[in-house]
Amino acid sequence: MDAAASNPALVPEQPAAAVSDLVVLGLGYVGLPLAAEAVSAGLKVTGLDVSDRVVDGLNSAVSHVDDLSSEDVDRMLERGFTATTDPACLAAARTIVICVPTPLSPEGGPDLGAVTSAARSIAAHLQPGTLVILESTTYPGTTDEVVRPLLEESGLVAGADFHLAFSPERIDPGNATFGVANTPKVVGGLTEECGEAAAVFYGNFVDTVVRTRGTREAEMAKLLENTYRHVNIALVNEMAIFCQELGVDLWDSIAAAATKPFGFQAFYPGPGVGGHCIPIDPNYLSYKVKTLGYPFRFVELAQEINSRMPSYVIQRAQELLNESGMALSRSKVLLLGVTYKADIADQRESPARPVARKLAAKGATLSYHDPHVESWQVDGVDVPRSTDLDQAIAEADLTILLTDHAEYRPKRLEEYARLLLDTRGVLRRPDPEAGTAAVPAQARRRPRREGIQVL
Ligand code: SAJ
């Protein structure tokens, strides 16, 4: 490949107005922050999305992503960012990054529909010397076996006429510490030159780029990262169930184990595993392993344990009510926090929904409180929203804390709750309001009064 093709920045000049350093295909929670970072680094960026609503919103400086404000989008526009639904912009791109969703298919494998559609759009406009990078999470082999042939329908050859690489997205919604620029970027190229071209591209706005041997190793790195979390969350979830029966305070044991300065990372029990990554990604791996003729047992077992947690929460709720002579079917139950993790509005795969569904099926009268969720439906039915937290907790027969949003402080929960099931161990944490720098060990170890339990 000649010098121009080997470095996308040197691709033959086209009318300046048309050329984009970067076209981001898919403007969601992954694509938009990537576009924003590239704009901040001075790159000419065009966003491409199939949704008129997304494109029109962005061009009107309205953000639809938690991690970017509308002011951030306005600044992007001021620096030349534009969004479009017209794939013709791909013809004038030095680099194209695919950031489209890869949800699970009904069969439990990866639904690559958005990826293949994106690859076909690119193929229709692909120019020599372009760098194409897939960021969507998928099973090892996708870039080479699925995306590459579709791109080569353009008549161009990957690794010879254009560059092709995989780089897993590492966006952590709501993480105020790590963003695109300071999260190391793993990059795997179809060829050494492809990998180098992708590393040079990301080097424009990412502090650290980590090269792998090839695309498969980069695809696998992402799945390893998230399967590791999935399996370890399942481990503590299963331990939470038998520790309760053994009379062992698992939260105390985790806090003690976490003092080990090496060889241990704390994970915590919860009502289930939500989000766009952890409950989804490991299935891609088990899907690919199954093609070898045998199961990926760790993932299947973890999936079974984690998906069992909502039922376990119901069991504990029933026990707590029964201990007070109450039946779930005649109780008012308040759910605190319905998003999939703390202090964000994202509800994808949130365990709050299966918990609510099971409670409703047992006749409980439900309401919810969540500062990030204005309205909430379960199976099409509106769940009444409480806005006065203290009053809602005081009026509920049972409060179940499902998401540990910052405002759900131990002191407040204990002061007003009649019965409380804390599924996130909030009662095991220092309470800034109570002025305790750290929870005294003896206080941490036991619920402060009857009727209050931690999962
Ligand atoms: N969860 C537990 N116990 C734990 C940790 C998490 O029950 O100890 C639950 C959470 O409540 C949530 C789900 O698991 O429902 C997933 O939580 P998560 O902390 O893994 O958050 P995610 O889904 O946003 O994961 C992302 C991932 N980022 C990417 O894939 C780019 C993951 O790799 C990050 O490690 C994670 O953020 C993070 O560290 O926050």
Side-chain angles (χ1 to χ4, degrees), residues 169-173 175 222 225-226 229 233 236-237 266-279 281 340-341 351 424:
E169 61 92 356
R170 282 180 160 178
I171 301 292
D172 176 22
N175 190 323
K222 166 73 177 195
E225 287 164 15
N226 286 354
R229 286 184 74 75
I233 293 166
V236 291
N237 279 337
F267 289 87
Y268 299 94
V273 173
H276 53 279
C277 299
I278 306 309
D281 299 352
Y340 84 85
K341 71 176 184 180
R424 294 292 187 174

Side-chain angles (χ1 to χ4, degrees), residues 194-216:
C194 293
E196 183 54 27
V200 167
F201 163 70
Y202 283 117
N204 285 303
F205 53 89
V206 175
D207 300 343
T208 308
V209 177
V210 179
R211 293 285 303 279
T212 61
R213 286 169 60 94
T215 57
R216 283 170 167 77

Side-chain angles (χ1 to χ4, degrees), residues 100-105 109-120 134 136-139 141-143 145-147 150 284 287:
V100 296
T102 46
L104 281 188
S105 68
D111 174 353
L112 294 179
V115 169
T116 53
S117 171
R120 290 195 175 93
L134 175 64
S136 307
T137 304
T138 182
Y139 61 81
T142 302
T143 305
E145 298 162 4
V146 177
V147 174
L150 290 173
Y284 298 153
Y287 166 86

